[in-house]
Amino acid sequence: MKLGIVGLPNVGKSTLFNAITNAGAESANYPFCTIDPNVGIVTVPDSRLDWLSDFYKPKKTTPAVVEFVDIAGLVKGASRGEGLGNKFLANIRECAAIVHVVRCFDDDNVIHVEGSTDPIRDMDIIDLELIMADVEMADRRIDKARKAAKADKKFNHEAEVFEGLRDWLNDGKSARSYLAEVDEEDGALIATSELLSLKPVIYAANLDEDGFADPSSVAYYDQVSQRAAAEGAQVIPVCAKLEAEIAELPAGEKAMFLEDLGIAESGLDRLIRASYTLLGLISFLTSGEDECRAWTITKGTRAPQAAGKIHTDFERGFIRAEVVSFADLEANGTMAAVKEKGLLRSEGKEYVVQDGDIILFRFNV
């Protein structure tokens, strides 16, 4: 899973990226500090995997991972190549979803590229640049379909679908919102294009420490929340500066620090949880004395395809999946107790894997 962290210059993107990945991306008080996308691989916190690791004492424990890409700051005109626009847009195309960092605090010591703090204006700038880039993409699809229609008239419908989308985009509305206006077949056709405003979005509202303690009292945060709700998007309150401090602590002290602040989970945990929900992802687990591991799959994945995540031979030669839910193993303490109660199930090719399933795949090739 690759998530692109985007936002206007100096809204806290690189600070947040540094905090959650410890990758040390350069962060400074001027635009375009991040020239090339910085990439950080972070592990997905999973208490179930921790429990299995304590239980089996394996030689190796392998968590699922998320790839965060810190993308260069955007300015007005990016869709026309202004600033680092072309690089910015190309980098976003490679990501599964967008984490849009929005500044929700005033600080005279931190320059804002637009001269003042205004979350809605900032969100509009980025949204509009993505939409304008998508207009060009739609135009290219229309031209291609019209040419193809000279040989096969079925392509006329494709051209009509993208003409409708282009008109929608020209009204300043995202490709995401257009999907509600078309049927499933046309929506699938639109999804074959690399539209930037089609990508799902999480808004990370970057607050100062006082605001983070009580986000609901911050007018800027309320504005972002209302905008996100109107779009059906998620908004997560973060304090990039605070997250940076947490990231520097030894692992054993992080939990105590969060508890002292009255925070249940870090910004990283919230982002990953929101990302999994946004992209419809779940994790299944494999366990044993050699390795305990978490695997990320799309919700609704059947057992053979889940097996294929481990190795293509597992899918090709799939026989059955021996499954126990993590909750049942934890509640009963041992695999022997689980088997005694009949909670270890044998599932076939049609079984849909559930979040937290512990699976042993049987296969023959």
Side-chain angles (χ1 to χ4, degrees):
M1 179 168 65
K2 181 184 286 190
L3 304 177
I5 302 179
V6 306
L8 290 175
N10 295 345
V11 296
K13 287 187 309 86
S14 294
T15 303
L16 181 61
F17 175 82
N18 290 348
I20 61 179
T21 66
N22 285 316
E26 184 185 2
S27 177
N29 185 23
Y30 55 88
F32 307 131
C33 174
T34 309
I35 303 300
D36 293 313
N38 292 272
V39 179
I41 306 294
V42 297
T43 59
V44 177
D46 193 331
S47 59
R48 300 168 302 189
L49 184 64
D50 296 338
W51 190 94
L52 287 173
S53 186
D54 287 341
F55 181 77
Y56 283 100
K57 301 293 190 294
K59 298 173 185 174
K60 184 179 181 183
T61 298
T62 308
V65 297
V66 174
E67 187 173 342
F68 283 98
V69 183
D70 179 26
I71 296 170
L74 178 68
V75 293
K76 286 180 182 177
S79 58
R80 302 188 303 275
E82 295 291 332
L84 298 170
N86 291 332
K87 267 191 175 183
F88 174 93
L89 299 172
N91 295 147
I92 295 177
R93 292 192 201 283
E94 300 171 359
C95 297
I98 296 170
V99 178
H100 184 165
V101 181
V102 185
R103 179 167 157 179
C104 292
F105 64 90
D106 294 312
D107 188 340
D108 293 337
N109 295 316
V110 180
I111 301 166
H112 193 293
V113 71
E114 290 295 319
S116 63
T117 304
D118 185 339
I120 299 302
R121 177 205 59 211
D122 294 355
M123 295 162 81
D124 284 341
I125 288 172
I126 286 192
D127 286 351
L128 185 58
E129 294 303 330
L130 300 185
I131 289 167
M132 293 303 293
D134 283 349
V135 170
E136 293 184 16
M137 178 70 72
D139 280 335
R140 288 197 290 271
R141 285 296 293 262
I142 293 165
D143 290 343
K144 184 178 178 181
R146 288 299 183 201
K147 289 175 182 175
K150 292 176 181 178
D152 188 340
K153 292 187 182 300
K154 74 177 183 180
F155 286 100
N156 280 323
H157 178 68
E158 179 175 334
E160 290 167 2
V161 169
F162 278 92
E163 283 171 351
L165 172 63
R166 181 186 59 190
D167 293 342
W168 184 268
L169 294 168
N170 276 326
D171 286 337
K173 294 179 283 191
S174 70
R176 288 189 307 278
S177 61
Y178 189 64
L179 293 184
E181 305 296 315
V182 299
D183 61 29
E184 187 175 340
E185 186 175 337
D186 288 349
L189 179 60
I190 289 169
T192 63
S193 59
E194 294 183 329
L195 297 168
L196 300 175
S197 67
L198 196 61
K199 293 184 182 295
V201 176
I202 298 171
Y203 291 107
N206 188 20
L207 301 147
D208 59 19
E209 292 185 44
D210 290 338
F212 184 64
D214 185 13
S216 61
S217 67
V218 180
Y220 293 142
Y221 178 75
D222 188 52
Q223 292 170 17
V224 176
S225 295
Q226 290 183 33
R227 171 68 166 268
E231 296 179 4
Q234 295 190 58
V235 57
I236 299 172
V238 298
C239 176
K241 182 181 178 183
L242 192 60
E243 292 291 339
E245 293 176 11
I246 294 171
E248 293 177 359
L249 294 173
E253 295 180 18
K254 289 182 180 180
M256 290 190 297
F257 186 73
L258 290 170
E259 186 177 345
D260 289 343
L261 293 170
I263 302 170
E265 56 187 347
S266 70
L268 172 61
D269 292 351
R270 288 195 301 274
L271 266 180
I272 291 175
R273 184 159 48 82
S275 302
Y276 266 58
T277 301
L278 186 71
L279 297 173
L281 302 175
I282 61 172
S283 293
F284 74 90
L285 306 156
T286 54
S287 60
E289 294 180 357
D290 286 332
E291 182 181 28
C292 290
R293 182 162 181 167
W295 304 85
T296 301
I297 56 172
T298 303
K299 191 180 295 184
T301 298
R302 286 184 166 82
Q305 287 69 50
K309 289 284 289 184
I310 300 174
H311 198 286
T312 53
D313 284 351
F314 284 29
E315 181 176 0
R316 186 161 55 92
F318 179 87
I319 298 173
R320 67 180 184 276
E322 296 178 4
V323 185
V324 60
S325 73
F326 171 79
D328 285 341
L329 178 59
E330 184 183 36
N332 289 278
T334 66
M335 192 61 75
V338 165
K339 291 178 180 178
E340 187 178 328
K341 292 185 178 180
L343 297 173
L344 179 65
R345 313 185 308 276
S346 181
E347 302 286 1
K349 292 182 178 181
E350 296 304 310
Y351 177 68
V352 176
V353 176
Q354 302 299 305
D355 187 43
D357 277 351
I358 303 169
I359 306 179
L360 174 64
F361 292 106
R362 299 293 187 184
F363 70 101
N364 184 32
V365 291

